[in-house]
Amino acid sequence: MKPDLKLVQTNHDVRVLNSDSVHKLSASLGLALRIQSGKQLVFCLGTGTERSNDEALVTWVHSQLLHHGLSPTRQALAFLIVELEKALNRWEMDL
């Protein structure tokens, strides 16, 4: 169940996220889960255009925020930690 979080503000039904906030949230998520530098996560989290785990994580966080209608806030971090752990476990099981 999703926590009660702020919805992303919309502008003509297009969701707009502050890039700096998404990067900060991604960095916090990477730190919380001890994601190391490298390129291993580009395949499972990114679109394939990213050059590092950090870039793949930013792409994934941005996608998740839009998908779930969340703002890049501290409150979203706990939810994203759970979602990322699930995504990585699914990816590991598929190998």
Side-chain angles (χ1 to χ4, degrees):
M1 181 160 78
K2 272 196 284 190
D4 185 25
L5 303 172
K6 288 189 224 175
L7 290 176
V8 175
Q9 294 178 346
T10 60
N11 182 11
H12 301 296
D13 204 29
V14 175
R15 294 183 182 149
V16 179
L17 295 172
N18 180 310
S19 178
D20 189 45
S21 295
V22 172
H23 278 82
K24 287 178 183 176
L25 185 59
S26 297
S28 296
L29 185 59
L31 185 62
L33 294 179
R34 297 184 179 144
I35 294 176
Q36 299 177 3
S37 60
K39 298 179 183 180
Q40 304 86 341
L41 299 180
V42 171
F43 178 74
C44 70
L45 297 182
T47 61
T49 60
E50 299 83 4
R51 291 173 271 153
S52 67
N53 288 345
D54 290 338
E55 287 183 18
L57 193 54
V58 169
T59 298
W60 183 85
V61 166
H62 187 265
S63 170
Q64 292 298 302
L65 292 172
L66 290 176
H67 178 75
H68 295 287
L70 302 173
S71 294
T73 62
R74 238 183 241 169
Q75 292 83 5
L77 183 59
F79 175 74
L80 292 173
I81 287 172
V82 171
E83 292 301 305
L84 181 56
E85 287 176 332
K86 285 195 261 183
L88 293 174
N89 286 333
R90 279 192 304 271
W91 180 61
E92 187 177 354
M93 302 265 301
D94 288 344
L95 291 179

